[in-house]
Amino acid sequence: MTIDTPQAVPAGPRRSIELDSDEALRLLGSASFGRIVFTRHALPTIRPVNHVLVGGDIVIRTHEGAALTARAGQADERGVVVAYEADSIDPDTHLGWSVVVTGYAHLVTDPEELARYQDLLSPWVKRTMDYAVRIRPDLITGVRLTAADEADDS
């Protein structure tokens, strides 16, 4: 493998500042892309998806044949345990933030609610996305990466 242009790693140490759950959700709401983690055949599976934050819940759209649709459809009343991660980290400075939410995912079954999410969230891929999954956060964690000499203003 050949590297065309080596990227210089920015000088200076970084500091990781823990975010409170309100700030973490605010940042998550400012992003449109993330990664959902769930189990498939007892192994972790990760899918990149776009999302919208609605009333503190994360909503993604999916399709009939998707592994997540099947997994959420098999869940009991609590839902299926998932993790959701989104971040915004500058590739040059390595500064930014990362948020991880762990919670329970359910298929959205109410037709009016499903229609609302279909209006709010456009799929990035050309495919019929007739399903939506809502994730209710149970644990919200996040970090902000700053230069070590920046004041803690978060």
Side-chain angles (χ1 to χ4, degrees):
M1 180 170 100
T2 305
I3 298 175
D4 294 333
T5 354
Q7 298 259 340
V9 175
R14 301 289 171 255
R15 184 170 59 181
S16 176
I17 300 168
E18 196 169 317
L19 300 172
D20 65 37
S21 60
D22 289 338
E23 177 69 357
L25 273 182
R26 185 190 70 73
L27 290 168
L28 183 68
S30 73
S32 63
F33 171 80
R35 295 149 205 89
I36 187 159
V37 181
F38 59 100
T39 57
R40 182 175 183 202
H41 306 297
L43 297 171
T45 301
I46 302 171
R47 296 284 188 268
V49 294
N50 61 326
H51 71 270
V52 64
L53 195 64
V54 179
D57 291 346
I58 301 157
V59 178
I60 63 173
R61 288 183 58 191
T62 185
H63 58 90
E64 185 173 10
L68 178 60
T69 305
R71 185 72 179 100
Q74 298 165 350
D76 61 20
E77 63 278 351
R78 285 191 71 184
V80 60
V81 174
V82 299
Y84 193 82
E85 188 271 342
D87 54 52
S88 178
I89 298 174
D90 184 279
D92 295 324
T93 64
H94 302 163
L95 303 177
W97 58 267
S98 179
V99 171
V100 176
V101 171
T102 305
Y104 294 91
H106 299 269
L107 282 179
V108 174
T109 56
D110 178 83
E112 289 180 15
E113 189 178 5
L114 184 57
R116 178 177 175 229
Y117 296 149
Q118 288 172 337
D119 287 342
L120 286 173
L121 188 58
S122 297
W124 288 359
V125 295
K126 186 176 179 167
R127 182 174 205 150
T128 301
M129 300 282 203
D130 290 337
Y131 292 83
V133 173
R134 182 190 323 104
I135 304 164
R136 293 232 161 107
D138 193 46
L139 177 63
I140 304 165
T141 60
V143 295
R144 181 180 305 277
L145 301 171
T146 66
D149 59 350
E150 284 185 24
D152 183 9
D153 59 359
S154 57

